[in-house]
Amino acid sequence: MTDVAVIIPARYQSSRYPAKPLAPLVGATGLAKSLVRRSWECATAIADPASVWIATDDDRIADAVRAFGGQVVMTAESCANGTERCADAITRLGINPKVVVNLQGDAPLTPGHVVTALVEALGNMPDVAMTTPAIRCARSTYAHLVEDQAHGRVGGTTVVFGANRRALYFSKRVIPHLPPEAAAQPFPPVHLHLGVYAYRPDALRRYVATGPSELEQLEGLEQLRFLAGGIPVGVVPFDPIGWDAIELNNPTDVGPIEAILKARGIE
């Protein structure tokens, strides 16, 4: 993880979960830590803390980050999503690393080896703008996604990709559609997309210059701007990781995430 900058975008306003970065999550010892702190701890477990920044436009988040010793870069309120915020952050920091990692601030269960694998894969895929992970769902993860969908909640994101490991599509719906026999498998053929990306800095500049796409706005998925613009996205597939890497998208996700923190012995 040398010459890599890790940016954790964090915004206060959210239609589904206002003030989400400051939401407390209780770990194995009964200690409550904010979502943004747990995301920062996830990043600093694999990267030098000096190369990790929380990118925000909100003083409440900035104050909370500084209180636990994290670095903050204040970004523009006009940033439409985390990728734009990462682009703004490296410009304001005046840095030009070989790789910029966007570790979404709502994914505190992201395994460290996933991030390092993305950085390595980017070096081996010169035609792609970025790399991002796809984790084969265990039945419990698949059930969580389907339950959210059935109740009209926007849960995790799924991804489909080709044999060349280039993304075909990302969706907040569960894709692909599975017949009952496939859904009943211990590991249904659905891949969960975790909110982490490894970009080349030039890809971030191209992203901002391209401007929003209709698909991106309809799905609410920033990565679709690349696909809509014909820019290849590399997918790094992983086998199930041993726990449900649930993102904090809705208040109902707090309980399942806390249960995983406790089961894994995370403070």
Side-chain angles (χ1 to χ4, degrees), residues 19-181:
K20 181 169 69 172
L22 302 181
L25 293 169
V26 177
T29 62
L31 180 65
K33 297 181 183 179
S34 66
L35 172 63
V36 71
R37 179 171 182 175
R38 291 197 179 277
S39 298
W40 177 83
E41 289 178 351
C42 177
T44 55
I46 55 171
D48 185 337
S51 66
V52 178
W53 287 270
I54 308 295
T56 188
D57 58 11
D58 191 277
D59 288 333
R60 289 163 291 192
I61 294 173
D63 289 344
V65 172
R66 294 187 184 106
F68 64 70
Q71 295 186 121
V72 176
V73 53
M74 300 302 293
T75 49
E77 292 183 13
S78 59
C79 292
N81 54 49
T83 301
E84 286 194 6
R85 203 170 296 283
C86 285
D88 190 32
I90 63 169
T91 297
R92 291 173 184 269
L93 290 168
I95 59 176
N96 191 39
K98 288 183 180 178
V99 178
V100 178
V101 170
N102 173 352
L103 183 65
Q104 298 280 15
D106 56 8
L109 300 174
T110 302
H113 73 272
V114 168
V115 180
T116 54
L118 293 184
V119 173
E120 180 180 355
L122 187 63
N124 296 326
M125 303 170 81
D127 63 312
V128 304
M130 70 172 187
T131 52
T132 196
I135 296 180
R136 181 72 174 251
C137 284
R139 189 183 295 168
S140 57
T141 307
Y142 176 73
H144 185 89
L145 294 171
V146 170
E147 182 179 4
D148 277 344
Q149 183 170 285
H151 288 85
R153 296 190 294 264
V154 178
T157 298
T158 55
V159 57
V160 289
F161 52 94
N164 62 355
R165 296 187 177 180
R166 282 11 176 213
L168 299 174
Y169 197 64
F170 298 85
S171 182
K172 287 182 177 175
R173 302 288 288 181
V174 181
I175 57 173
H177 166 73
L178 298 186
E181 60 272 19

